[in-house]
Structures are given as structure tokens and as C-alpha cells.
Amino acid sequence: MTTIARAQVRKEFRELLPSWLAVVGAMLGLAAGSAWLAGTDQIFRVRLLWPDPFQMAGMLMYAAGAVLLGAMAIGHEYSHNTLPTLLVQPITRTRLLLMKAAVLATLLASLAGVADLTLGLDMIQGGPRNMALGWVPLACGLCLAPLLAMVGRGTLAGAVLSAALTIALFPTGAYFGVPFTAIQPIIMVLAAAGAVVTWWMFRRLEVAGGPQSEIDLFGRFTRAPRRAATGRKHHPLSLLVRKE
């Protein structure tokens, strides 16, 4: 590994590790609350809206943390305005993306291990519900969240769009009569397609100044030739009045 590659990997770990530690700390705290609740009176647990609200909160924390880490993998380049510096590195785009994916996959795998130990998901031999709760956040965080972070140009947009897209599939599937066990394969197929599109889009990612965005939708869906913008001369006083 070259010096530039080692520096890039260290930068990715330094950026994602604080959020990973925060999510793991929250999950461990909720697991301790679940253990405390298990030793309380049965009547007290029956009165709750959920038999174990700490476990439910831990699952939500795990899913949100996985999606957040995936969105931060590329979204932090927009947040810190380091994307131009990243794209001019003397490394191929594919290698840059692979380094980001390797760091992200390492943190997501360790996060899934903590969730499996603290929440008892049993992601390998569990039922459809446990497998969906365990594998769907990993697929979304690794494949969909980075793509949507590039589309939305930020961490928040990537995390919100990934969560909204995944959550919307379950009521949509129920409305059209799709069984719950079929939703997970659909999400996995979308995640695989998202990984391919992420690679394709990252290789063509550009930082353009001015009002034009990285993705010129008008240019993609029209056959009209692009014309250079030409400015007209105006009197400074008229420009000032028009601006005010």
C-alpha cells in the first residue's frame, strides 16, 4: 500500500470512527437497559406498549447507525468540502472507492457483530424477521447510502433517502400483496444494483463551479446542442436597482 493509500485509509477511519463509537455506545447502553428490564416484575413489562422497548430502540439504533455510516463514507467529502482534493489524488477512482468501501465494510461488519451479541438477532440462522433486521441495514449502508449521498450531495440527504426508500418498500409490498419474506430479496437486488451505480457514478463524479451541478439532467435528456452562456452589458445603476 502506498503512502497516499495509507493516508486515505487513515482519513476514512478517523472520519467514521467517532460515529461508530457513538452508535456502539448507545447500543451497549440499550442492551444494559434490556437486561435490567428482564429482571423486573412481569406485570410491569405487560403494561408497556412493547415487551422490550430497549431492544426495539437498539434495533432502530443499529439500522440508523448502519445507514448513517454508509452516507458518511462519501457525504463527509461534501460536508468538509474535500471532494475536489479527493478527486485529484494520483489514484484511480476505482481504487479510491474500494478503499472507502473496505473501511466502511469493516465498521459495518463490527457493528453487526455488536448488534448480534447485544440484541440476539442471530443473523445467520434466525427467522425471516431477524435476518431482515440484521442484513437489510448492512446492504443499505454499504450499497445504497453512498450512492444517495452523492445524489443528495451530503450525509443527511443520503441517510434520509436510504431510510425512506427502505422503509417505504414494506408498506408498499403489503399493499400489493407481496409477502414479507420477499421484501428482503428485493432490497438485496436493489443494493446490488446500487453498488454498480455507485461505482459508475463515482468514476464520473466531477466538481464544477458555478450554477451547474455535477449531474446535468437537462443535458442528459435533451438533444439540443449546448450553447455557451454569453453576458450582455448593462449599466451598473440598472443592475443595482434590479438587484435591490
Side-chain angles (χ1 to χ4, degrees):
M1 184 181 293
T2 63
T3 303
I4 298 177
R6 287 196 296 268
Q8 182 66 30
V9 171
R10 285 197 301 268
K11 188 197 79 169
E12 296 299 326
F13 271 111
R14 186 171 60 247
E15 185 64 31
L16 299 182
L17 195 58
S19 299
W20 181 88
L21 290 174
V23 174
V24 169
M27 289 172 58
L28 293 177
L30 292 170
S34 179
W36 167 81
L37 185 63
T40 58
D41 190 6
Q42 178 70 22
I43 299 177
F44 174 74
R45 294 199 297 272
V46 170
R47 292 177 180 176
L48 297 174
L49 297 177
W50 188 268
D52 192 348
F54 292 102
Q55 186 182 22
M56 179 183 180
M59 293 179 179
L60 293 176
M61 181 60 64
Y62 162 65
V67 172
L68 177 63
L69 289 174
M72 287 183 63
I74 296 181
H76 74 84
E77 306 288 353
Y78 292 94
S79 303
H80 302 311
N81 199 23
T82 56
L83 187 61
T85 306
L86 175 72
L87 298 181
V88 298
Q89 297 293 323
I91 305 177
T92 61
R93 297 285 185 88
T94 301
R95 191 176 180 185
L96 278 175
L97 185 61
L98 286 177
M99 287 188 292
K100 283 181 171 291
V103 174
L104 177 60
T106 302
L107 295 179
L108 288 179
S110 58
L111 187 67
V114 174
D116 193 50
L117 293 175
T118 58
L119 303 176
L121 290 178
D122 195 7
M123 298 169 56
I124 304 299
Q125 299 179 352
R129 174 178 172 273
N130 285 7
M131 293 182 66
L133 291 174
W135 290 106
V136 167
L138 287 182
C140 293
L142 186 61
C143 302
L144 290 180
L147 170 63
L148 295 176
M150 285 190 289
V151 173
R153 294 185 178 185
T155 301
L156 182 60
V160 172
L161 290 175
S162 301
L165 176 62
T166 307
I167 294 173
L169 288 176
F170 290 95
T172 304
Y175 178 79
F176 288 103
V178 179
F180 178 82
T181 55
I183 299 297
Q184 182 181 351
I186 293 175
I187 295 177
M188 294 302 177
V189 171
L190 289 177
V196 176
V197 177
T198 299
W199 169 78
W200 178 84
M201 186 172 178
F202 189 80
R203 288 188 62 202
R204 290 159 177 79
L205 193 62
E206 296 180 359
V207 180
Q212 298 294 330
S213 61
E214 283 88 347
I215 306 176
D216 189 0
L217 296 180
F218 180 81
R220 291 180 183 273
F221 294 102
T222 184
R223 296 183 179 179
R226 297 183 180 181
R227 299 178 179 178
T230 58
R232 294 182 299 172
K233 293 183 179 181
H234 297 277
H235 194 275
L237 182 60
S238 64
L239 293 176
L240 177 62
V241 171
R242 188 180 305 174
K243 179 182 76 70
E244 294 299 329

